[in-house]
Amino acid sequence: MIYHFSLQSVAIITGIILILIGLPGLIRPGATQEWTKRLPRSYIAGIVLLFIAAAWCGYLLWTMEMGEFASFRKPLLVLLPIAFFLVIRFVDEFLAVRALGILCLLAAEPLLDAAFFRNDPARLVVTVLAYLLIVAGIMWVTMPYLLRDQINWGARNSLRWRCVHGFVFLYGAVVLVLAVVAY
């Protein structure tokens, strides 16, 4: 176990994040559609998201138990900022989408870690979200144009946009309620 979070604390944080993602799309669909359509090609957002991902990876490299690979810790810590700048320099196409995919892959692990060895069926709500994050992260890192296509599909009309964000909001509310009641 890399993280030592309880399922309740992870579910509270996840529920709040999902509610905060879904709420703006419900309240102001026009403004969020325009901002979200610009996100995949936003170079500044890509740098910010990639920096967060690199810092998270650096934290993991610094703190996690590596066993027999502990001798690789220092070279990897040196290589991480070099890789960060090389990615910014040479992978500028859809950088925000790729960085968002990396963050999805990183965010799935605490969810799965917190639900590990839990027997109650309510844990599956968090586990399903973790596996959706993994699939989305793999797709967005390897095929970043898919997020642009997914955004365009969702933003085709206001009703569809509100339905997607309403689902995200409701899922976050369910996770938050389960964190208080079941976990």
Side-chain angles (χ1 to χ4, degrees):
M1 293 178 62
I2 297 173
Y3 302 98
H4 300 287
F5 299 128
S6 68
L7 184 57
Q8 183 179 28
S9 62
V10 167
I12 289 171
I13 293 168
T14 303
I16 290 171
I17 290 172
L18 288 174
I19 287 172
L20 291 175
I21 289 172
L23 197 58
L26 285 172
I27 295 172
R28 303 225 13 201
T32 56
Q33 283 176 349
E34 290 306 314
W35 181 83
T36 309
K37 283 182 181 179
R38 289 191 310 266
L39 178 68
R41 295 202 182 263
S42 173
Y43 188 68
I44 300 299
I47 291 173
V48 169
L49 292 172
L50 190 64
F51 178 78
I52 294 168
W56 194 342
C57 288
Y59 168 76
L60 288 176
L61 279 172
W62 188 265
T63 60
M64 74 182 203
E65 177 60 41
M66 296 180 71
E68 62 189 45
F69 299 104
S71 63
F72 292 116
R73 185 183 314 269
K74 284 186 182 178
L76 287 173
L77 284 170
V78 169
L79 187 64
L80 185 65
I82 295 169
F84 171 76
F85 287 112
L86 288 175
V87 167
I88 287 175
R89 173 71 174 99
F90 294 109
V91 189
D92 58 346
E93 189 72 20
F94 289 116
L95 181 62
V97 180
R98 294 177 197 274
L100 188 61
I102 293 168
L103 285 173
C104 285
L105 291 170
L106 287 169
E109 206 283 326
L111 298 175
L112 291 173
D113 196 23
F116 194 59
F117 284 134
R118 295 286 301 239
N119 290 328
D120 51 344
R123 80 183 183 325
L124 294 176
V125 175
V126 173
T127 305
V128 165
L129 177 63
Y131 283 112
L132 288 173
L133 286 173
I134 291 169
V135 170
I138 290 171
M139 287 174 43
W140 294 343
V141 168
T142 58
M143 299 175 286
Y145 57 89
L146 288 179
L147 179 62
R148 179 200 60 206
D149 296 344
Q150 292 162 353
I151 291 170
N152 288 335
W153 177 86
R156 192 157 309 184
N157 60 40
S158 183
L159 177 65
R160 188 180 292 178
W161 188 257
R162 285 182 191 250
C163 287
V164 168
H165 281 81
F167 178 75
V168 171
F169 180 83
L170 285 176
Y171 202 92
V174 167
V175 170
L176 200 56
V177 166
L178 286 174
V180 174
V181 175
Y183 304 144

